[in-house]
Amino acid sequence: MEMNAVVLHGPRDIRVERKPRPTILKADDAIVRVRYAGICGSELHPYRGHQKTTYGHIMGHEFTGIVDQVGSNVATVKPGDLVVGLFSSACLNCWFCKYGYTNRCANSLALGTAQIDGGQAEYVRVPHADGTLVIAPPNINDELLIMMSDIFPTGYYGAMRAISYFGTEPNKLSSTNGALQMVRQPLKSTVFVCLGCGIVGLCAVMTAVVKGAGTVFCVDTIPDRLEQAQKMGGTPLRLGVDDIHAIVLKATEGRGADAVIESVGNQAALKMAMELLRPCGLLSSVGFHQTEMPFTALQGYQKNISLNMGRAPVKAVFEEALELFTLHQAMFTNFISHRLRLAEAAKGYEMFESQEARKVLLQVSD
Amino acid sequence: MEMNAVVLHGPRDIRVERKPRPTILKADDAIVRVRYAGICGSELHPYRGHQKTTYGHIMGHEFTGIVDQVGSNVATVKPGDLVVGLFSSACLNCWFCKYGYTNRCANSLALGTAQIDGGQAEYVRVPHADGTLVIAPPNINDELLIMMSDIFPTGYYGAMRAISYFGTEPNKLSSTNGALQMVRQPLKSTVFVCLGCGIVGLCAVMTAVVKGAGTVFCVDTIPDRLEQAQKMGGTPLRLGVDDIHAIVLKATEGRGADAVIESVGNQAALKMAMELLRPCGLLSSVGFHQTEMPFTALQGYQKNISLNMGRAPVKAVFEEALELFTLHQAMFTNFISHRLRLAEAAKGYEMFESQEARKVLLQVSD
């Protein structure tokens, strides 16, 4: 049996074509009949040809749908369940999964890459189904559910690394000789910068604001994104217009930002993040980087930097992220700016790349 | 009035010469009559001429002694007190000091640099005396006390950043759908690598072992250092002899070290630290680095690295470090390998640079 699927054949060459319908290959596989599939910002890297890749596989790592079949070892989902798929599979059995590092699952397969066909198709084979599919909670908008594949947990994770760096309670630090009572900086006094207000960045903004960061500066070039960030409680700063360094320094008596959450994924952004950060601050980078480090080891030493990089452990943070997302999903109502049919995928990629669209949802089945 | 003092006049040009005795210049100054002064590994950078510096100032940022005079605002020490001086001054009043970032005190002066004369002299002027001098605890060996200036708190801090990354209790992480109970990796199962077993590295080894890290691999080229590390409970690995990568991988089922504590301060060490680290591991670097970063942003992303760099907040961690040091000071009895008079300082630098000496103590007064 065949189905329609979105295939990348080369830079900017997206085609919707007939492909064999996937079948169960392993006992922990599931087949999902896709309902919605998202186009993710990270897919623009291979789309533009910036990222070394092979061509010819089915794209997509954000999807929701109805479970169609399950392998004999699948325990947590069954045919008929409405599920959301996580962007990278988690086997739940390896050392990394056991300790919550599901972002580095030793057996993980990245959906929508040469490793395994993705979800921009009528059906998708999902490996490690118990670790990769989650049954849709009853109280989530069925379109917004797709944000739980990657976008929201990634932004949430980027922000929470910064939030937990400060903690939510001011703690007494050690003091000596009674000369000083040192305390931990209260979260409500902190100044965060979210560099990049694409949809992941906006999820980070929302998380930082709701979790109690004092000021959340939001940096982007696109007015529409900055408006969204402002609605969420962020303070918008327009790159190329506002003097961002001066504003952040002024807001911090010259120190720099307490934390910078970077979700852009290019060298200029990582460099700017470092420059905006105060000494002993936290740089939380969830952007995908392919270049050299844009600062020296001397600069890192002199700034006493704390740096976290890399993708989110979506499975490990799913429950806590979902709780926050469910409470505040109303903030995201307008995020899906364009709904297209699967057959219109090429147009969807074009609109998303040209930043006409905030988020493109492919409606695959009803 | 004059005194004898150790002055660096150029690469490898150490002279003991007559200098004016310092006097109180500010209300929070103290004058200390120096008893012991240490030569620190970080002083070898200007000594060798690797580090841009000016010449002509009095060297030394590790010292103990008796308070001779205090300015009118000094509250916590008085003439006659036996004190230890911390390697960088902490004003206790700025934003950074208040929140425990005494390593980045906004008013800090680095003793023994062009900023302010150091402690390798008969007398030293100590700025911000309340934040920079600590009264000697009664139960510490008076020679070993000098290790609390810089060495022990620095190694302690480097190790504790790694220890606290894991925590001392296995915590439940969130799980979803009942498919898996994820837990935090137990500290006792961790594999640490201490890169560099100079005296700071050995303090890190001791801290990591005592605080409960599972295996603490200790890497150096010098057999004497590795013997010390082994006595402290570390597992010695000799650089250039042992296949360190293979041994660490074997001990971790191919994953790499959970944490690497780097105290060497050169690019090769930082590169090796990154290579030995497992995905989602912690790299705690207390070495002083002056080069480019030896890994790319892509490598950082792909390893999901957590990186901490920079010098220790000695004042902020002093009490907790002192408690540990006092309990375990017997381990350090043999650390001071050479005791010289101040007049022999040039010989002391030579011996320390050529690694003949483990630690050189200059005895300045009785």
Side-chain angles (χ1 to χ4, degrees):
Chain A
M1 281 197 291
E2 293 200 322
M3 63 171 184
N4 293 316
V6 177
V7 176
L8 182 66
H9 281 281
R12 293 186 173 74
D13 184 5
I14 284 282
R15 300 182 210 164
V16 178
E17 56 194 39
R18 301 296 286 171
K19 284 274 192 182
R21 249 174 75 170
T23 53
I24 298 284
L25 299 180
K26 296 190 174 175
D28 61 357
D29 282 350
I31 305 296
V32 173
R33 180 169 176 247
V34 178
R35 185 165 183 176
Y36 294 111
I39 301 176
C40 176
S42 66
E43 293 184 286
L44 295 179
H45 293 294
Y47 178 74
R48 289 171 173 151
H50 292 170
Q51 184 184 343
K52 267 192 213 168
T53 186
T54 54
Y55 296 109
H57 56 264
I58 300 172
M59 298 290 284
H61 57 255
E62 300 176 351
F63 61 92
T64 64
I66 305 289
V67 176
D68 187 64
Q69 299 173 55
V70 295
S72 57
N73 280 352
V74 174
T76 61
V77 298
K78 60 182 189 308
D81 286 340
L82 174 63
V83 292
V84 54
L86 310 189
F87 79 97
S88 55
S89 79
C91 76
L92 302 190
N93 290 312
C94 73
W95 186 95
F96 287 95
C97 280
K98 178 177 171 189
Y99 291 129
Y101 305 116
T102 55
N103 40 351
R104 290 294 157 199
C105 166
N107 304 306
S108 183
L109 295 168
L111 286 139
T113 71
Q115 291 183 337
I116 186 164
D117 279 330
Q120 292 170 10
E122 291 179 275
Y123 291 85
V124 59
R125 179 174 76 89
V126 180
H128 314 305
D130 285 331
T132 314
L133 295 176
V134 182
I135 294 180
N139 43 0
I140 275 213
N141 173 296
D142 72 337
E143 283 187 357
L144 289 181
L145 178 61
I146 203 151
M147 291 183 60
M148 287 302 299
S149 269
D150 175 350
I151 297 168
F152 188 78
T154 296
Y156 172 85
Y157 174 69
M160 286 307 292
R161 288 193 295 196
I163 293 287
S164 60
Y165 185 73
F166 297 98
T168 47
E169 297 287 321
N171 289 345
K172 189 174 157 291
L173 300 175
S174 64
S175 64
T176 51
N177 288 338
L180 179 74
Q181 288 288 93
M182 282 177 275
V183 294
R184 184 194 275 186
Q185 184 186 3
L187 185 59
K188 67 178 188 297
S189 81
T190 55
V191 173
F192 281 29
V193 175
C194 288
L195 263 189
C197 296
I199 196 158
V200 170
L202 288 168
C203 293
V205 171
M206 186 275 255
T207 303
V209 169
V210 168
K211 291 289 183 179
T215 300
V216 181
F217 285 117
C218 306
V219 177
D220 209 294
T221 54
I222 300 175
D224 171 61
R225 294 177 173 184
L226 292 173
E227 270 169 43
Q228 297 291 326
Q230 190 165 22
K231 280 184 197 158
M232 291 177 162
T235 303
L237 297 177
R238 196 159 168 207
L239 191 66
V241 175
D242 292 314
D243 185 344
I244 293 162
H245 285 81
I247 291 166
V248 170
L249 286 176
K250 189 172 175 199
T252 55
E253 298 171 318
R255 293 185 298 272
D258 299 303
V260 181
I261 302 154
E262 180 275 320
S263 62
V264 179
N266 68 34
Q267 199 177 31
L270 200 56
K271 183 167 191 285
M272 186 175 185
M274 177 67 169
E275 289 165 356
L276 290 173
L277 196 68
R278 70 159 163 80
C280 300
L282 179 81
L283 201 173
S284 172
S285 166
V286 292
F288 175 51
H289 291 277
Q290 302 181 71
T291 62
E292 297 295 311
M293 290 291 277
F295 54 86
T296 67
L298 177 62
Q299 288 169 320
Y301 179 91
Q302 286 177 331
K303 196 155 261 187
N304 272 79
I305 194 172
S306 289
L307 169 68
N308 291 291
M309 300 187 79
R311 67 186 183 207
V314 173
K315 178 67 178 175
V317 302
F318 194 89
E319 271 192 1
E320 56 187 75
L322 178 64
E323 191 180 333
L324 197 71
F325 186 70
T326 305
L327 273 173
H328 300 281
Q329 58 183 309
M331 286 190 190
F332 295 93
T333 308
N334 298 320
F335 272 28
I336 295 162
S337 58
H338 294 76
R339 291 158 188 84
L340 301 173
R341 308 299 305 189
L342 189 65
E344 303 170 292
K347 183 178 158 198
Y349 274 84
E350 275 171 39
M351 295 177 72
F352 192 44
E353 196 213 353
S354 64
Q355 298 180 331
E356 267 176 80
R358 198 180 293 151
K359 181 73 183 174
V360 176
L361 200 63
L362 301 174
Q363 190 172 348
V364 184
S365 62
D366 297 313
Chain B
M1 282 198 290
E2 293 199 324
M3 65 171 184
N4 293 315
V6 177
V7 177
L8 181 66
H9 281 280
R12 293 187 173 75
D13 184 4
I14 285 283
R15 299 182 210 164
V16 179
E17 55 194 41
R18 301 296 287 173
K19 284 275 191 182
R21 250 174 74 170
T23 53
I24 299 285
L25 299 180
K26 296 191 174 175
D28 61 357
D29 283 349
I31 305 297
V32 173
R33 181 170 176 246
V34 178
R35 186 167 181 174
Y36 294 110
I39 301 175
C40 176
S42 65
E43 293 184 287
L44 295 180
H45 293 293
Y47 177 74
R48 290 170 173 153
H50 292 170
Q51 184 185 344
K52 267 192 211 170
T53 185
T54 53
Y55 295 109
H57 56 264
I58 300 171
M59 299 289 284
H61 57 254
E62 299 175 350
F63 61 91
T64 64
I66 305 289
V67 176
D68 188 63
Q69 299 172 56
V70 295
S72 56
N73 280 352
V74 174
T76 61
V77 298
K78 60 182 189 306
D81 286 340
L82 175 62
V83 291
V84 55
L86 309 189
F87 80 95
S88 55
S89 79
C91 76
L92 303 190
N93 291 312
C94 72
W95 187 94
F96 287 94
C97 281
K98 178 177 171 189
Y99 290 129
Y101 305 117
T102 55
N103 39 352
R104 291 293 157 198
C105 166
N107 303 305
S108 182
L109 296 167
L111 286 139
T113 72
Q115 291 184 335
I116 187 165
D117 280 328
Q120 293 169 10
E122 290 179 276
Y123 291 85
V124 59
R125 178 174 77 88
V126 180
H128 313 305
D130 286 331
T132 314
L133 296 176
V134 182
I135 294 179
N139 43 0
I140 275 212
N141 172 297
D142 73 337
E143 284 187 357
L144 290 181
L145 177 61
I146 203 151
M147 290 182 60
M148 288 301 299
S149 271
D150 175 350
I151 296 166
F152 189 78
T154 296
Y156 172 85
Y157 174 70
M160 286 307 291
R161 287 192 296 194
I163 293 287
S164 60
Y165 185 73
F166 297 98
T168 47
E169 297 288 322
N171 289 345
K172 188 174 158 291
L173 301 175
S174 65
S175 65
T176 52
N177 287 339
L180 178 74
Q181 288 288 92
M182 281 178 276
V183 294
R184 184 194 276 185
Q185 184 186 3
L187 185 60
K188 67 178 187 297
S189 81
T190 55
V191 173
F192 280 30
V193 175
C194 288
L195 264 190
C197 295
I199 197 158
V200 170
L202 288 168
C203 293
V205 171
M206 186 275 254
T207 302
V209 168
V210 168
K211 291 288 182 179
T215 300
V216 181
F217 285 117
C218 306
V219 177
D220 209 293
T221 55
I222 301 174
D224 171 60
R225 293 176 172 184
L226 292 173
E227 271 170 42
Q228 297 291 327
Q230 190 164 23
K231 280 184 196 159
M232 291 176 162
T235 303
L237 298 178
R238 196 160 168 205
L239 191 65
V241 175
D242 293 314
D243 186 343
I244 292 162
H245 284 81
I247 291 166
V248 170
L249 286 176
K250 189 172 174 199
T252 56
E253 298 170 320
R255 293 185 298 273
D258 299 302
V260 181
I261 302 154
E262 180 275 320
S263 62
V264 178
N266 67 35
Q267 199 176 31
L270 200 56
K271 183 167 192 288
M272 186 176 185
M274 177 67 169
E275 289 165 356
L276 290 172
L277 195 68
R278 69 159 163 79
C280 301
L282 180 81
L283 202 173
S284 171
S285 166
V286 291
F288 176 52
H289 291 277
Q290 302 180 72
T291 62
E292 297 295 311
M293 290 292 275
F295 53 87
T296 67
L298 177 62
Q299 289 169 320
Y301 179 91
Q302 287 177 332
K303 197 156 260 187
N304 273 78
I305 195 173
S306 289
L307 169 67
N308 291 291
M309 299 188 79
R311 68 187 183 206
V314 174
K315 179 66 178 174
V317 302
F318 194 89
E319 271 191 1
E320 56 187 75
L322 178 65
E323 191 180 333
L324 196 72
F325 185 70
T326 305
L327 273 173
H328 299 281
Q329 58 183 307
M331 286 190 190
F332 294 92
T333 308
N334 299 321
F335 272 27
I336 295 162
S337 58
H338 293 78
R339 291 158 189 83
L340 300 173
R341 308 299 305 191
L342 189 65
E344 302 171 292
K347 184 178 157 197
Y349 274 84
E350 276 171 37
M351 295 177 73
F352 192 45
E353 197 213 352
S354 65
Q355 299 179 328
E356 266 176 81
R358 197 179 295 149
K359 181 73 184 174
V360 176
L361 200 62
L362 301 173
Q363 188 171 350
V364 185
S365 62
D366 296 313

